[in-house]
Amino acid sequence: LGDVYKRQTINVAADKLTIDTLLPTISSVQSVDNDGNLQNGLFGIGDNINLKFTFSEILTLTDGEAEIGLDVITTPTVSSADIQGIDNFTIVYEVIEGDSSGILTFTGLALATGNLRDDAGNDMAVFTADLGNSLENTSSVEIDGIYTVAFDEGAVITQTSNTDDIIADHWNT
């Protein structure tokens, strides 16, 4: 058959092309102190809470700002200038009057414009935290932004006489 039908071995390069098709996610959301340690507790009006967002990979917000959904009145935002080639960021949320939550819950990010994009060009499609790693799962933060009602003396009813038949053997008899 001659040289025409000989097998040839073609050497393949040691380097391989990797195509990233995984969409980025929010790996976790936590309440942290200034040193990055978990911070739990009850927070009132004027208190600051550091919310740390960690992504599955390095991301860039291409335009605009991201609104951070929480189960309170306040909606903190982060601008595209603050999310450029990072895998996490921390934002300060200040409790305002009217904010109230038994356990502060992260409800998701909202983007009016732009995309959260990884280095391969994949845009985030799910804007909530990975299952079990959202703020309400990782931290125990209670928000009390409700002022107490001022005591009104006129609302107190005083009884000036006792009736032994009704309240016998009690403290005020």
Side-chain angles (χ1 to χ4, degrees), residues 121-160:
N122 300 311
D123 292 335
M124 184 179 286
V126 177
F127 297 96
T128 55
D130 290 345
L131 188 63
N133 291 308
S134 194
L135 179 62
E136 61 277 11
N137 308 115
T138 63
S139 305
S140 181
V141 176
E142 186 176 352
I143 304 299
D144 181 9
I146 309 298
Y147 283 115
T148 55
V149 178
F151 181 71
D152 181 8
E153 291 180 33
V156 176
I157 300 172
T158 1
Q159 186 174 353
T160 57

Side-chain angles (χ1 to χ4, degrees), residues 23-32 36 38 50-59 68 83 86-91 106 109 116 124 126-131 133-135 138:
L23 300 180
T25 63
I26 302 170
S27 298
S28 71
V29 181
Q30 302 172 313
S31 168
V32 297
L38 282 178
N50 298 319
L51 300 176
K52 181 180 181 182
F53 291 78
T54 304
F55 301 116
S56 60
E57 55 189 304
I58 293 174
L59 294 179
I68 299 169
I83 303 179
I86 60 172
D87 66 356
N88 72 78
F89 70 89
T90 302
I91 188 167
F106 169 63
L109 293 179
L116 281 166
M124 184 179 286
V126 177
F127 297 96
T128 55
D130 290 345
L131 188 63
N133 291 308
S134 194
L135 179 62
T138 63

Side-chain angles (χ1 to χ4, degrees), residues 53 55 60-69 74-84 89 91 106 108-117 124 127:
F53 291 78
F55 301 116
T60 295
L61 179 56
T62 61
D63 184 44
E65 60 185 21
E67 291 184 347
I68 299 169
T74 303
T75 305
T77 59
V78 59
S79 74
S80 61
D82 295 326
I83 303 179
Q84 294 294 311
F89 70 89
I91 188 167
F106 169 63
L109 293 179
L111 305 175
T113 61
N115 294 296
L116 281 166
R117 182 171 293 154
M124 184 179 286
F127 297 96

Side-chain angles (χ1 to χ4, degrees), residues 44-47 94-100 144-150:
I45 298 169
D47 287 340
E94 181 180 353
V95 178
I96 65 167
E97 183 178 357
D99 283 354
S100 180
D144 181 9
I146 309 298
Y147 283 115
T148 55
V149 178

